[in-house]
Amino acid sequence: MTDTNRSLSELPGLVAERRKFHGWLRALDARKDSTPGHVFERVQSDYRTRLTRVEEQIEAHRHVVAEERANVRSRLSLLEAEERMRRDERAELDLRAHVGELDGAEATSAFKAVDDAIAGLLGEKEGLQGRIDELEVLLEERPTPPESRQAELPPMPTPAPMASPIAPAPAAPATA
């Protein structure tokens, strides 16, 4: 196992341990008035020492997590650029279908290919954003991961109506 993989696999346990110590310290504070002072101080000192040790271990892994986050953000940026390109491609297809250059099976196939590519990019982007959220929790830059990022994703485009190759017949003039 590489140092990076080991660091990333150890961190969730260390973060959980840190949360446990924070919880214990909060619970301890609630009993401060009903506990003999010297006992309270001894237990509090023990928890703080253990918490400091865990925080030092987390800090030792921080650079690995930050590097992983930078790599994932870079990949996400590339996907966003590709998504913009695919959305432009779809807009062009929509325009070409509107003017009648594309129609029937050719247009349907072209729209499906672009829409499938966009959907794939959105799925991959969502996965990468989830990974960034996990890494930021480990770095304590976000207290908990967001419930859902779906609201932030742009909606999938709806296929344009197919242009009919046959123009409608002109309306008959009204007779009086």
Side-chain angles (χ1 to χ4, degrees):
M1 182 180 277
T2 67
D3 287 341
T4 299
N5 290 340
R6 187 174 58 245
S7 290
L8 291 173
S9 67
E10 290 175 0
L11 272 170
L14 292 170
V15 169
E17 198 170 349
R18 178 180 58 200
R19 285 187 187 127
K20 176 179 71 175
F21 290 132
H22 280 290
W24 287 358
L25 286 165
R26 281 191 301 277
L28 183 65
D29 282 339
R31 294 281 308 266
K32 184 175 186 172
D33 294 336
S34 63
T35 305
H38 67 284
V39 172
F40 178 86
E41 294 296 325
R42 182 174 53 238
V43 173
Q44 183 185 48
S45 175
D46 174 46
Y47 291 166
R48 289 192 186 280
T49 300
R50 291 162 70 183
L51 175 62
T52 299
R53 220 177 10 249
V54 167
E55 287 176 338
E56 287 170 354
Q57 289 176 313
I58 290 171
E59 190 59 36
H61 297 295
R62 191 175 223 23
H63 71 283
V64 172
V65 176
E67 184 178 312
E68 171 79 4
R69 182 183 58 180
N71 290 339
V72 174
R73 281 183 173 167
S74 176
R75 174 70 180 139
L76 183 61
S77 179
L78 291 171
L79 289 176
E80 287 168 346
E82 186 174 349
E83 179 189 0
R84 283 189 301 274
M85 182 186 76
R86 293 297 187 157
R87 288 190 184 276
D88 287 349
E89 182 180 348
R90 191 180 196 301
E92 182 178 334
L93 286 172
D94 187 46
L95 185 59
R96 290 179 186 278
H98 176 75
V99 300
E101 178 183 347
L102 293 175
D103 62 0
E106 180 183 21
T108 301
S109 174
F111 278 116
K112 181 174 179 357
V114 172
D115 289 345
D116 288 350
I118 291 171
L121 291 169
L122 291 175
E124 190 173 349
K125 281 176 48 182
E126 186 176 338
L128 290 175
Q129 188 58 58
R131 181 65 177 147
I132 290 170
D133 293 341
E134 292 169 5
L135 294 169
E136 287 179 349
V137 167
L138 294 176
L139 291 170
E140 284 191 307
E141 293 181 9
R142 183 176 296 146
T144 56
E147 292 302 314
S148 172
R149 293 208 156 261
Q150 280 295 55
E152 296 177 22
L153 296 175
M156 279 294 292
T158 55
M162 299 290 288
S164 172
I166 303 172
T175 57

